[in-house]
Amino acid sequence: GNSVTQMEGPVTLSEEAFLTINCTYTATGYPSLFWYVQYPGEGLQLLLKATKADDKGSNKGFEATYRKETTSFHLEKGSVQVSDSAVYFCALSDQAVGNQFYFGTGTSLTVIP
Amino acid sequence: EAGVAQSPRYKIIEKRQSVAFWCNPISGHATLYWYQQILGQGPKLLIQFQNNGVVDDSQLPKDRFSAERLKGVDSTLKIQPAKLEDSAVYLCASSLTRYEQYFGPGTRLTVT
């Protein structure tokens, strides 16, 4: 079956630190991979996506590369800001099951000045 | 472009009462999803519509939950009767392609 596993939090970093949030997946077909972000009191927003192996998604300084050989899609940012404090969700969409989305449990990030 | 609208934003009810949530997707989006997000967890799909047909409702507790999407646009999710474990945020999302979902702000339900 399909599933997403991401590193547990919470994660606390100082401003300008390097961020990595690990995500691995299991899929029956050829999934598309996503990172969503949820700011306090808001709904989920798409942060970036990659639709095939070796694709790199990027947005707002965040990056993630679709690694089929390691079934991973780790999120990275070189220098985090206080405004990046949020919960980050890794997800996959599998066309083989009607494009259903599967989400990880989320990783809470707090960036302190 | 208007986003996904949901109402109400917050609801508090007692167990065994009923409650309904409403969602208006982005115009033109054929696919609509309802998710349940329990505190500290990722969203769990309850039901997925393609236009006004159900694609997947395998994780919908059908003894108490029901959902409909009239005319392939708005959707309503109902819980009757509610249990304490139904306390969660209920998220609606819509999509035009399989590469993106757009989420509404959610409805936070507290069952006491």
Side-chain angles (χ1 to χ4, degrees):
Chain A
N2 295 319
S3 66
V4 175
T5 303
Q6 60 182 107
M7 65 182 283
E8 295 189 12
V11 175
T12 302
L13 294 174
S14 298
E15 206 165 21
E16 299 183 2
F18 185 86
L19 168 71
T20 300
I21 301 178
N22 290 336
C23 172
T24 57
Y25 68 89
T26 302
T28 53
Y30 298 95
S32 298
L33 302 175
F34 307 83
W35 277 99
Y36 280 81
V37 59
Q38 187 173 34
Y39 298 104
E42 299 183 14
L44 278 73
Q45 301 173 26
L46 178 65
L47 180 60
L48 54 84
K49 67 178 185 286
T51 59
K52 61 183 186 295
D54 299 325
D55 270 3
K56 177 186 283 188
S58 61
N59 186 26
K60 299 181 181 180
F62 291 88
E63 293 183 340
T65 301
Y66 189 145
R67 301 288 188 198
K68 187 177 179 182
E69 63 275 14
T70 54
T71 62
S72 65
F73 193 56
H74 304 321
L75 182 68
E76 297 182 337
K77 186 175 185 182
S79 177
V80 294
Q81 306 300 313
V82 172
S83 57
D84 295 327
S85 297
V87 180
Y88 293 82
F89 292 91
C90 186
L92 71 82
S93 167
D94 189 345
Q95 190 177 19
V97 286
N99 299 325
Q100 185 177 138
F101 275 65
Y102 299 82
F103 287 85
T105 54
T107 301
S108 175
L109 170 67
T110 300
V111 180
I112 55 177
Chain B
E1 179 183 77
V4 176
Q6 289 188 248
S7 68
R9 290 295 309 275
Y10 305 92
K11 190 73 177 180
I12 301 173
I13 61 172
E14 296 182 352
K15 59 183 178 183
R16 292 187 290 273
Q17 288 186 324
S18 62
V19 65
F21 312 127
W22 173 82
C23 173
N24 187 305
I26 293 173
S27 177
H29 283 195
T31 309
L32 184 147
Y33 310 79
W34 281 103
Y35 291 90
Q36 180 191 59
Q37 185 179 17
I38 293 173
L39 186 65
Q41 299 181 19
K44 183 185 83 171
L45 180 69
L46 293 175
I47 188 167
Q48 177 181 342
F49 292 96
Q50 181 74 18
N51 295 309
N52 60 352
V54 175
V55 174
D56 187 335
D57 63 356
S58 57
Q59 298 194 83
L60 187 73
K62 297 180 185 65
D63 58 333
R64 298 184 301 107
F65 286 64
S66 64
E68 60 182 5
R69 190 180 184 195
L70 300 175
K71 300 180 181 179
V73 182
D74 292 11
S75 179
T76 303
L77 176 70
K78 297 180 181 178
I79 307 175
Q80 180 179 9
K83 294 184 175 181
L84 295 177
E85 60 260 36
D86 298 332
S87 294
V89 175
Y90 290 85
L91 296 167
C92 179
S94 69
S95 68
L96 187 60
T97 74
R98 68 184 178 100
Y99 298 120
E100 293 192 25
Q101 284 192 25
Y102 295 86
F103 283 82
T107 297
R108 182 176 298 278
L109 173 67
T110 302
V111 182
T112 63

